[in-house]
Amino acid sequence: MKFSIKSIHPEKQRSACVVVGVFESGKMTQAAERLDQTSNGYLSEIIRRGDMTGKISTFLFLHTIPGVLCERVLLMGLGKQKEFCEKQYRAAIGSTIKALNASGANDATLFLTEIPLKERSIAWKIRQAASIALETDYRFEQFKSEKTSKGLQKLIFAVESSDQVVDAEEALAQGLAIAEGVTLARNLGNLPGNVCTPSYLAETALKLAKEYSIDCKVLERADMQKLGMHSLLSVAKGSHQPPKLIVLNYRGSTTKKSKGKTSKPLVLVGKGITFDSGGISLKPGEAMDEMKFDMCGAASVLGTLKAVAQMKLPIDLTVIVPTTENMPGGAASKPGDIVASMSGQTIEILNTDAEGRLILCDALTYAERFEPETVIDVATLTGACVIALGHVASGLFANDDNLAQDLMKAGNEAFDRAWQMPLWDDYQDLLKSNFADMANIGGRTAGSVSAACFLSRFTKKFSWAHLDIAGTAWKSGAEKGATGRPVPLLVHYLLKRAGKLN
Ligand code: BES
Ligand code: MN
Ligand code: ZN
């Protein structure tokens, strides 16, 4: 789909479709009013007759309206005017894209971007609209014999005045970059485990690196052995697929590198379990297929990197992806096994299904060598996080409250929200082991907190946050599929850091 920005009056726009809104009270948006005036009350008459109630996401196509240059007008219901905020705005845009795709219109001009939203700039509205349009249009049909056809080819977002065009165009580019990052994350997540293996993720990273001239290296099993990553390697023992540690260095910062010292990078670490069977602590069969999504953390950090590279953000970003399958087998780790992590701390593996933390801890220790400004890891880490927060918010843990606040804000801004959970020392006792420095599980209570506590033992040397996306990375049921979260949150955080947010 092609996108552009235009400052124009709706009655003068020659599009296949012009999209305007109506509230439940019958009150029309400014653009709808203009169409109504040009057509001598054509729209208000329809509303008066009760053919358009204005209920949120209901809509009506009108054809060849007198005095109006476009072929169609799409009247979109906006709900109650008093309640109209971010959620309703997003819903209206999503419904518009669906309605347009089902119509005969190849192109459309949206005037919904002009509707005032409390405390939200035109840039925010355009960024959101572009992302939602592409995300609504998303299909994963690689393995389907029949593909659905899409009608809509071109979308124009209207802005009220010509001095908004520059801001809006920058926001459009940002929204599209975010959507591309989300799309990459969704595609990788949706791929089946027999296709998306650790090697496949490594190849994807190398391709991405080539496309955007990013430095990339892939550590193999032997390299990890030399580094002493026995915790990560212990998870790979049951699998026939070789594990990989993917490292990407994007260097976009323009600040002077004084005395040969480079600026400190931001590091993102993503859990890349391409299938989590549980290992010897085998999972029950129900919905086990969904454990192909256990690499969504990895997918999201790769998607974030793609968006950042596309926007050429002036920041330094390193992405680390530890990736392996978690499988049972004759060589697999067993409950009770003890391994030494790269940090030197020993771990008693009481449950082989708590494997995410085992691969992340070595990747986090590896991150130290980049002398990071901040490290954020993203992982589908615990079922307990889904119990705590459901599918709405990602779980957020941090050893740095400022960082936690910034990430919460970015999540609110992007409508990809996270909620902070405690990481108090009192919870550390859950990880006591009689035989090693720590156990890899903490018992039945506070499961997502004990998992975060485990990671915190490997992040003492830097400012760190952990996002548990077990409940937000994918949807189950009829709409089963990866969501691409938390790419929007992460990109917003980075946009803010780069000073590029309006
Ligand atoms: N990948 C899972 C977490 C998960 C489970 C995410 C269900 C989404 C839905 C993780 O590796 C895991 O199995 N965690 C265990 C930890 C437990 C053994 C301490 C869990 O949550 O049950
Ligand atoms: Mn597991
Ligand atoms: Zn897992």
Side-chain angles (χ1 to χ4, degrees):
M1 197 158 22
K2 289 230 162 14
F3 293 84
S4 55
I5 303 287
K6 204 165 174 184
S7 160
I8 189 170
H9 291 315
E11 70 280 9
K12 299 212 176 102
Q13 176 65 336
R14 286 182 190 276
S15 268
C17 190
V18 155
V19 187
V20 296
V22 193
F23 292 104
E24 261 182 56
S25 57
K27 180 157 171 21
M28 289 179 266
T29 58
Q30 216 179 332
E33 285 279 4
R34 284 193 77 103
L35 291 180
D36 196 46
Q37 276 159 21
T38 337
S39 61
N40 285 322
Y42 192 95
L43 270 63
S44 44
E45 179 60 17
I46 283 168
I47 294 163
R48 198 190 56 76
R49 285 187 204 146
D51 289 350
M52 178 62 196
T53 60
K55 285 209 162 48
I56 186 81
S57 292
T58 60
F59 61 86
L60 190 65
F61 277 106
L62 306 170
H63 299 262
T64 44
I65 300 178
V68 174
L69 293 183
C70 63
E71 294 163 14
R72 303 171 188 76
V73 166
L74 173 56
L75 261 184
M76 183 52 64
L78 302 174
K80 298 202 167 69
Q81 189 168 11
K82 259 200 220 144
E83 290 168 11
F84 191 79
C85 44
E86 287 95 338
K87 196 171 164 221
Q88 288 75 7
Y89 175 76
R90 288 171 50 94
I93 302 280
S95 306
T96 298
I97 304 303
K98 281 191 197 131
L100 288 170
N101 259 332
S103 80
N106 293 319
D107 67 284
T109 309
L110 261 69
F111 285 84
L112 302 179
T113 40
E114 292 184 359
I115 308 170
L117 257 188
K118 225 167 112 193
E119 288 170 33
R120 293 298 182 195
S121 60
I122 183 70
W124 186 91
K125 287 187 283 185
I126 299 282
R127 216 162 28 231
Q128 287 280 323
S131 299
I132 294 166
L134 282 183
E135 284 164 36
T136 309
D137 229 27
Y138 177 85
R139 305 276 184 286
F140 186 75
E141 296 178 328
Q142 204 175 317
F143 300 95
K144 295 261 195 196
S145 307
E146 266 179 57
K147 328 266 181 205
T148 49
S149 60
K150 295 176 207 163
L152 193 60
Q153 306 290 332
K154 204 176 135 203
L155 211 51
I156 300 167
F157 297 128
V159 293
E160 265 173 296
S161 66
S162 50
D163 51 313
Q164 288 181 328
V165 171
V166 174
D167 265 7
E169 277 175 348
E170 188 182 19
L172 174 60
Q174 293 172 347
L176 296 179
I178 293 169
E180 271 206 43
V182 167
T183 299
L184 174 62
R186 290 173 85 176
N187 282 341
L188 288 172
N190 287 333
L191 282 171
N194 60 333
V195 174
C196 186
T197 59
S199 306
Y200 183 93
L201 280 182
E203 279 161 32
T204 304
L206 286 165
K207 265 194 213 138
L208 191 67
K210 200 165 170 208
E211 190 182 345
Y212 293 98
S213 309
I214 303 168
D215 168 70
C216 177
K217 68 175 168 185
V218 178
L219 305 195
E220 305 291 334
R221 195 195 305 265
D223 304 313
M224 294 185 251
Q225 251 147 11
K226 268 184 222 142
L227 288 164
M229 296 182 162
H230 303 296
S231 181
L232 196 169
L233 289 170
S234 76
V235 178
K237 280 166 67 184
S239 169
H240 292 286
Q241 294 291 336
K244 309 274 173 183
L245 185 82
I246 304 164
V247 185
L248 291 142
N249 291 304
Y250 168 85
R251 293 294 174 265
S253 166
T254 46
T255 50
K256 278 261 173 330
K257 299 182 176 152
S258 55
K259 292 176 203 154
K261 261 199 167 177
T262 49
S263 69
K264 291 175 151 199
L266 233 128
V267 178
L268 295 176
V269 180
K271 171 178 172 182
I273 297 290
T274 58
F275 189 75
D276 181 11
S277 71
I280 296 298
S281 313
L282 195 65
K283 285 185 182 294
E286 202 196 319
M288 209 209 255
D289 65 293
E290 295 187 9
M291 282 299 119
K292 72 171 184 179
F293 293 119
D294 212 18
M295 35 56 71
C296 282
S300 74
V301 296
L302 291 173
T304 299
L305 179 67
K306 181 170 179 144
V308 166
Q310 178 141 320
M311 292 185 286
K312 299 194 173 77
L313 286 193
I315 56 169
D316 292 337
L317 181 66
T318 291
V319 164
I320 305 175
V321 172
T323 174
T324 170
E325 283 183 334
N326 184 24
M327 296 292 276
S333 293
K334 307 168 291 296
D337 285 2
I338 293 177
V339 295
S341 65
M342 183 181 174
S343 72
Q345 299 175 92
T346 58
I347 304 161
E348 185 184 16
I349 303 174
L350 287 177
N351 190 320
T352 64
D353 197 11
E355 84 297 338
R357 60 198 83 179
L358 294 176
I359 68 166
L360 288 169
C361 70
D362 281 342
L364 288 165
T365 302
Y366 187 77
E368 283 174 13
R369 68 184 50 209
F370 299 101
E371 295 180 30
E373 165 90 35
T374 297
V375 178
I376 303 166
D377 78 73
V378 189
T380 48
L381 203 62
T382 63
C385 191
V386 191
I387 303 301
L389 297 172
H391 304 287
V392 178
S394 302
L396 168 62
F397 301 82
N399 66 9
D400 172 345
D401 266 329
N402 289 326
L403 174 59
Q405 285 305 316
D406 288 349
L407 288 169
M408 291 261 280
K409 264 190 221 146
N412 289 335
E413 179 86 2
F415 224 76
D416 175 12
R417 291 166 297 183
W419 192 255
Q420 193 178 3
M421 305 269 282
L423 196 63
W424 297 315
D425 269 349
D426 312 54
Y427 289 104
Q428 291 285 350
D429 290 345
L430 291 167
L431 295 172
K432 272 191 179 145
S433 158
N434 282 3
F435 303 106
D437 296 340
M438 69 194 88
N440 79 326
I441 54 169
R444 276 168 45 78
T445 61
S448 63
V449 185
S450 60
C453 282
F454 181 95
L455 297 179
S456 76
R457 297 178 180 214
F458 301 84
T459 61
K460 296 238 157 71
K461 295 191 180 148
F462 41 73
S463 150
W464 159 76
H466 156 61
L467 285 164
D468 193 331
I469 57 165
T472 52
W474 75 89
K475 288 183 183 163
S476 308
E479 284 183 83
K480 194 194 289 181
T483 60
R485 291 178 68 182
V487 171
L489 180 158
L490 291 170
V491 179
H492 265 79
Y493 171 71
L494 296 171
L495 275 169
K496 184 82 191 261
R497 284 191 64 121
K500 299 279 180 194
L501 220 47
N502 279 311

